[in-house]
Structures are given as structure tokens and as C-alpha cells.
Amino acid sequence: MAKILVVEDDSSLATLLACWLEEAGHEPKVLSNGDEGINELIKSHSAELLITDVVMPLASGEELAIAYECFAPKVPVLVITGMADDATIERLRERPK
């Protein structure tokens, strides 16, 4: 069972992801924006996987992914989006793995 942080501002999608993860035996924690995700990183460092939307209020998923690269580099980051522009997607693809 992995502790998975889901950061998604669409509550319906966040709930769906959390249900799927729970059914697969994982322990999801859902937050609704990038600022909450950064605060969670600073507070606990407990996530074993980050799943984040790109386009969100306050801090973006890109900013959140960069924070995880800096402060929790061993945590894999899965970025999901339905609204990001091509330049943002390219920047995220080019980030170190």
C-alpha cells in the first residue's frame, strides 16, 4: 500500500482518483490546489507518489512538481491535465526523471 498525494482542483475527478486508488489498496490524500500540496510537502514528506493536475488555482501543478523535485526528489510525480498549453507540457516532459 502506497501513500499517494492527489492534488486536483476538480472535486469530481479527485474523488474518482481517490476511489480507484483506495480500491487498489493505496492510501490517497486529496488536496484541492498547489499551495495545499506544497504545504503538505513541507509539513509531512510522507507521500510515496504525487499525482497532480497542471492548471489549478494558487500554485500550479508545475510549481508543485518542481517543489517535489527539490525537496523530495525520490518521490515520483505523475502529472495529469486536460487544459495545459503545449509549452507547459513540453517543459514538464523535459524535467529530469
Side-chain angles (χ1 to χ4, degrees):
M1 172 169 54
K3 292 182 179 179
I4 301 175
L5 182 60
V6 177
V7 185
E8 169 61 63
D9 63 327
D10 179 327
S11 62
S12 297
L13 180 54
T15 300
L16 180 63
L17 288 169
C19 287
W20 285 343
L21 292 167
E22 286 174 352
E23 287 175 4
H26 301 292
E27 186 180 326
K29 179 170 187 174
V30 176
L31 302 174
S32 64
N33 63 61
D35 273 1
E36 290 178 358
I38 291 170
N39 288 335
E40 180 67 19
L41 169 63
I42 293 166
K43 184 175 74 175
S44 75
H45 289 283
S46 65
E48 298 170 74
L49 171 66
L50 168 64
I51 300 174
T52 183
D53 187 8
V54 174
V55 179
M56 295 184 289
L58 306 175
S60 70
E62 183 176 10
E63 293 166 318
L64 181 56
I66 291 168
Y68 265 79
E69 285 176 11
C70 293
F71 298 105
K74 294 185 180 191
V75 175
V77 177
L78 175 63
V79 178
I80 58 175
T81 188
M83 297 181 64
D85 59 68
D86 291 341
T88 301
I89 293 170
E90 260 325 292
R91 280 194 309 275
L92 287 165
R93 282 187 181 148
E94 293 171 357
R95 300 219 52 88
K97 312 266 185 295

